[in-house]
Amino acid sequence: MISTNKEDELISLVNSFHEGNLFKKIAEKVTNDERITDEEGLLLFEKASLGLTAMFANYIREKKHGDITYFNRNFHIEPTNVCVFSCKFCSYSRLYAHRDEGWQLSADQMMDIVKSYDGKAVTEVHIVGGVHPKMDLNFFCDLISRIKQHRPDLHVKGFTAVELDYMFRKAKLTIAEGMLKLKNAGLQSMPGGGAEIFDESIRQQISADKVDADGWLKIHEEAHKLGMHTNATMLYGHIENYAHRIDHMNRLRNLQDKTNGFNTFIPLKFRNKNNDMSNVPESSVVEDMKMYAVARIYMDNFPHLKAYWPMLGRQNAQLSLSFGVNDIDGTIDDSTKIYSMAGSEEQKPSMNTQELVTLIKQVKRRPVERDTLYNVIKDYSLQNAKEFDVTMN
Ligand code: V47
Ligand code: SF4
């Protein structure tokens, strides 16, 4: 727990910054656990130095989580990259008409992937892919049931709201009916993808044809009503401006006030390789760190802030731990293509547990393995490297 001294220390440190006066009110709010306004969020983006935002964000991070940095042991299944939609930033999908250039896994092939982890201490399978017109709700309900039958302890986190919106409409089911069907089949939580940027004018320009902001939020709200936890992402650093980012986070913060069903906010840095937005430059590392810091300060009701290390790279993921981030996803351990095709730092996004633990310890944070719902599996802060057992991937 942070003492009153820390609070005084923060206030006096803020005064030592040349722009300190401008941020007195925010400093007070940060130390009093009060919510900042949209205008204050914008002010941070536009006028605060990187050092100042880091200080606020780290204060909040340490108050909420101390030095703990979570990771989990998961693997991804990407059922297909065939997609009926054509998001301009996507480097990964192939239209149905060009499906011979893409891949489409059968249920048996996906079960083979699941079985290849038998005996390994993974806790989560993350299923996400393109929106294939022939892979419908029944297909995925059967797949999830088979996974749960084979390995009941494996948490199934799957499907973006974009995939679900299409599946439910095709099955002529309401969101509530569709979600319940998936829950009954064994789906336990949802990842945060497909949110992109909620602002309608930007969304029209980068991903015009998929579910809109209200549809995305409704699907997550319905999942929360059923007791499922979900994540939320934001694709930033392309043609949006700071006000669009604040608007996006504001809509998420409002839904979280209502449902408290979100676990984690994940800002995703736009990567510009091999897509229709290759002319748009990528954001700098400074901009990335500021994004994390402002997210940590603004999203006061989100317990966790995640840096997705395959996208950001290992060193920047380490850096982000001083900018509010308290989670760096997982071992992942597969050939996740959605990012490597877009030019991410990691062409083979896989780290074993020991590598992840070392990465976190190198920046003097405390590595804690969690399950999908943030129950602690193991605190590695006192772990001797030699104690890693052979079942760890
Ligand atoms: O919605 C696609 C993004 C997302 C690019 O919830 C791109 O734990 C950057 O949401 N540059 C899907 N990003 C993946 C996702 C996710 C990933 C890891 C963990 C979780 C979680 C969720 O990938 C898409 C889109 O925003 N994306 N193309 C690109 N060129
Ligand atoms: Fe399809 Fe997702 Fe790519 Fe958009 S981002 S084209 S919905 S796979």
Side-chain angles (χ1 to χ4, degrees):
M1 222 30 207
I2 281 182
S3 68
T4 322
N5 282 347
K6 280 256 182 197
E7 286 152 23
D8 294 344
E9 215 174 276
L10 183 84
I11 300 282
S12 72
L13 268 172
V14 170
N15 290 331
S16 74
F17 275 74
H18 73 272
E19 77 273 40
N21 245 346
L22 201 55
F23 292 96
K24 262 193 174 140
K25 179 94 189 133
I26 296 181
E28 279 165 22
K29 286 189 167 182
V30 167
T31 52
N32 293 330
D33 292 334
E34 278 173 44
R35 174 168 285 187
I36 64 163
T37 63
D38 290 2
E39 292 69 30
E40 288 166 336
L42 262 183
L43 189 69
L44 284 169
F45 269 132
E46 283 167 357
K47 297 268 168 32
S49 65
L50 188 61
L52 190 75
T53 48
M55 211 170 64
F56 288 147
N58 192 54
Y59 176 90
I60 297 168
R61 182 241 205 259
E62 292 191 358
K63 196 163 186 179
K64 280 184 190 285
H65 304 289
D67 275 335
I68 288 178
T69 300
Y70 291 105
F71 67 93
N72 71 344
R73 279 192 261 179
N74 60 356
F75 63 99
H76 284 211
I77 296 180
E78 293 176 4
T80 181
N81 69 337
V82 174
C83 190
V84 297
F85 299 120
S86 37
C87 304
K88 292 224 167 74
F89 54 80
C90 186
S91 318
Y92 153 93
S93 65
R94 293 290 173 271
L95 285 169
Y96 187 65
H98 301 285
R99 60 191 177 281
D100 48 328
E101 294 166 16
W103 74 85
Q104 178 189 343
L105 302 181
S106 67
D108 285 344
Q109 284 171 316
M110 289 189 260
M111 283 310 295
D112 286 343
I113 298 176
V114 172
K115 287 174 190 164
S116 71
Y117 288 89
D118 285 357
K120 290 192 177 167
V122 289
T123 58
E124 172 190 287
V125 53
H126 178 158
I127 308 173
V128 71
V131 179
H132 193 295
K134 298 267 157 65
M135 290 168 128
D136 63 8
L137 186 62
N138 286 331
F139 173 82
F140 283 118
C141 284
D142 289 346
L143 175 72
I144 298 166
S145 303
R146 283 179 69 183
I147 296 174
K148 292 305 286 183
Q149 239 165 27
H150 179 74
R151 191 161 172 182
D153 62 307
L154 194 64
H155 182 109
V156 180
K157 173 171 111 182
F159 312 113
T160 64
V162 174
E163 293 166 271
L164 296 183
D165 169 69
Y166 184 84
M167 280 186 230
F168 297 163
R169 282 190 289 115
K170 212 155 184 199
K172 298 196 172 24
L173 293 178
T174 63
I175 298 173
E177 290 163 345
M179 284 309 313
L180 188 63
K181 206 168 148 100
L182 282 163
K183 188 182 181 203
N184 289 339
L187 185 73
Q188 288 158 287
S189 60
M190 275 173 63
E196 320 314 357
I197 278 283
F198 289 145
D199 176 84
E200 285 72 19
S201 66
I202 301 293
R203 207 174 177 84
Q204 270 301 314
Q205 294 173 65
I206 64 171
S207 53
D209 48 1
K210 70 187 190 189
V211 67
D212 64 7
D214 287 346
W216 190 98
L217 290 162
K218 268 197 195 117
I219 288 178
H220 282 258
E221 182 170 1
E222 207 52 55
H224 298 169
K225 274 193 204 157
L226 290 175
M228 284 188 201
H229 283 279
T230 72
N231 292 338
T233 58
M234 173 170 73
L235 183 70
Y236 73 92
H238 42 91
I239 58 166
E240 91 293 357
N241 62 29
Y242 291 141
H244 298 129
R245 296 188 198 178
I246 294 287
D247 167 68
H248 187 95
M249 293 194 286
N250 178 264
R251 298 193 209 197
L252 291 171
R253 195 169 78 169
N254 288 342
L255 179 56
Q256 179 74 333
D257 277 343
K258 205 167 154 189
T259 63
N260 205 27
F262 287 114
N263 266 338
T264 313
F265 182 53
I266 314 162
L268 293 171
K269 175 192 175 93
F270 163 68
R271 307 308 303 243
N272 68 2
K273 301 283 175 309
N274 306 315
N275 55 43
D276 291 344
M277 288 171 67
S278 293
N279 59 323
V280 177
E282 292 180 358
S283 57
S284 66
V285 176
V286 170
E287 190 62 31
D288 298 334
M289 294 307 132
K290 198 156 195 195
M291 181 63 243
Y292 285 117
V294 176
R296 182 60 287 171
I297 302 161
Y298 184 90
M299 304 290 265
D300 61 334
N301 56 1
F302 271 63
H304 306 287
L305 180 66
K306 189 197 282 190
Y308 190 58
W309 68 261
M311 198 54 152
L312 210 55
R314 293 165 205 225
Q315 288 183 356
N316 292 340
Q318 285 179 314
L319 199 57
S320 73
L321 301 182
S322 296
F323 290 82
V325 167
N326 69 298
D327 185 330
I328 54 170
D329 205 87
T331 46
I332 301 176
D333 195 31
D334 74 338
S335 52
T336 303
K337 298 181 187 69
I338 195 158
Y339 299 109
S340 47
M341 290 163 93
S344 64
E345 305 305 314
E346 304 286 337
Q347 291 306 303
K348 187 187 169 294
S350 169
M351 262 199 273
N352 66 33
T353 308
Q354 191 167 350
E355 286 171 315
L356 265 174
V357 166
T358 304
L359 193 89
I360 295 166
K361 280 189 173 178
Q362 274 172 347
V363 285
K364 307 287 175 268
R365 299 288 183 178
R366 181 173 155 199
V368 171
E369 186 191 343
R370 60 165 177 88
D371 67 11
T372 311
L373 302 176
Y374 290 85
N375 299 303
V376 172
I377 293 183
K378 190 164 185 166
D379 184 341
Y380 283 85
S381 53
L382 303 171
Q383 178 97 21
N384 181 322
K386 287 194 186 116
E387 290 171 47
F388 284 88
D389 68 60
V390 286
T391 58
M392 289 176 178
N393 67 23

